[in-house]
Amino acid sequence: MLEINKLEKQFGDVRVLTSIDLNVEAGELVFVIGPSGSGKSTMLRCCNRLEEPTSGSILLDGEHVTACHGRALDRMRLKIGMVFQGFHLYPHKSVLANVMLAQVKALKRDKAVAQARAMEMLDTVGLAHKADAMPGELSGGQQQRVAIARALALDPKVMLFDEPTSALDPELVGSVLKVMKQLREQGMTMVVVSHEMEFAREAADRVVFMDGGVVVESGPPEQIFGNPSSERLRAFLSRLRKGGE
């Protein structure tokens, strides 16, 4: 579903990503871990061209993301849902209007169709009863779930999550992870950058460890967490256990 080949990214003289290769199968949940500054978020942002790759190629369901420009790129981005640390909701619009907006503006859906889809997705994330509320009336966890509903309403082929729980109070994290587990059970293809290691152990099909802009190790959760083969991954997990990451 998502194919990253020899992806490189430089900011000036600083190389942030070096020859990243990563294939994500349809319905797979790939969890990306690594220390701060390892290039995880940059890799995600390259996948929908929020950051322009320096070189390499990215394909979504066989289509070249890196070859798209203009309106073709806009259409491609609609197939790649992205959820950030921040919720980026319009504070002056209701929850329902937030989830409808991109459907009407970008997909040109009829408002009645967009509203029905928005309510369906709000129900999926457990917030149909908050459709008429304003974002400021919601908790952080609820706002993040609205952001997920907004992305899902566009019928993406893959969902990218960039530290979706890092801005939340600890007691609110579970509600967001619950939604992500439901999406996995429904067969959504997902790439998740996060420090929620227990979630990775429980829900991921595959865990990818990045450090210094390269993929150091990749494998099933039991291998990555239980029997890491690289010293860099062992050191990273050791720091995590000591609360140092």
Side-chain angles (χ1 to χ4, degrees):
M1 181 58 74
L2 183 67
E3 186 179 341
I4 301 172
N5 299 308
K6 300 291 183 279
L7 180 65
E8 308 236 342
K9 177 62 181 177
Q10 287 187 216
F11 292 102
D13 294 331
V14 179
R15 180 171 290 185
V16 181
L17 298 175
T18 302
S19 198
I20 299 289
D21 289 319
L22 179 62
N23 292 337
V24 181
E25 301 297 330
E28 191 177 24
L29 194 167
V30 173
F31 209 96
V32 185
I33 65 173
S36 299
S38 58
K40 307 182 300 294
S41 294
T42 300
M43 180 187 71
L44 275 196
R45 292 171 67 86
C46 284
C47 287
N48 66 354
R49 302 269 298 279
L50 286 175
E51 296 288 356
E52 283 295 333
T54 302
S55 63
S57 65
I58 298 168
L59 288 82
L60 176 67
D61 201 15
E63 295 184 76
H64 277 272
V65 178
T66 35
C68 291
H69 301 283
R71 290 183 178 178
L73 177 57
D74 291 339
R75 287 192 294 270
M76 181 63 73
R77 282 178 171 149
L78 294 173
K79 301 175 184 179
I80 305 172
M82 190 148 188
V83 178
F84 301 90
Q85 295 179 37
F87 322 124
H88 303 301
L89 301 178
Y90 290 101
H92 60 289
K93 292 184 179 292
S94 70
V95 164
L96 180 62
N98 266 279
V99 181
M100 287 177 60
L101 186 62
Q103 296 184 68
V104 173
K105 296 289 187 182
L107 294 183
K108 307 301 182 187
R109 279 182 181 158
D110 178 82
K111 284 189 176 180
V113 174
Q115 180 171 329
R117 181 63 174 160
M119 288 302 299
E120 182 184 354
M121 292 302 96
L122 286 171
D123 186 56
T124 294
V125 301
L127 289 174
H129 64 293
K130 294 290 188 180
D132 295 326
M134 303 301 283
E137 299 168 7
L138 306 181
S139 70
Q142 289 172 329
Q143 290 187 59
Q144 189 62 293
R145 284 150 62 196
V146 172
I148 294 172
R150 177 180 58 190
L152 290 173
L154 298 174
D155 303 319
K157 292 186 174 184
V158 61
M159 287 282 288
L160 309 178
F161 292 86
D162 187 9
E163 298 283 6
T165 60
S166 65
L168 303 180
D169 292 332
E171 66 270 19
L172 303 176
V173 169
S175 65
V176 174
L177 297 183
K178 180 181 177 182
V179 169
M180 294 169 69
K181 287 177 188 175
Q182 290 171 348
L183 294 178
R184 180 189 185 278
E185 290 165 4
Q186 293 164 9
M188 175 59 73
T189 307
M190 294 187 282
V191 182
V192 181
V193 167
S194 176
H195 286 85
E196 298 290 341
M197 298 299 161
E198 285 305 313
F199 178 67
R201 288 176 188 268
E202 181 182 344
D205 294 297
R206 187 155 43 104
V207 178
V208 174
F209 171 61
M210 290 181 63
D211 192 16
V214 300
V215 172
V216 177
E217 196 167 338
S218 174
E222 56 270 23
Q223 174 194 318
I224 294 295
F225 294 113
N227 189 29
S229 61
S230 69
E231 180 55 40
R232 289 159 82 176
L233 177 53
R234 287 194 291 270
F236 172 72
L237 294 174
S238 177
R239 289 197 301 273
L240 280 183
R241 285 192 286 269
K242 295 173 183 175
E245 238 343 287

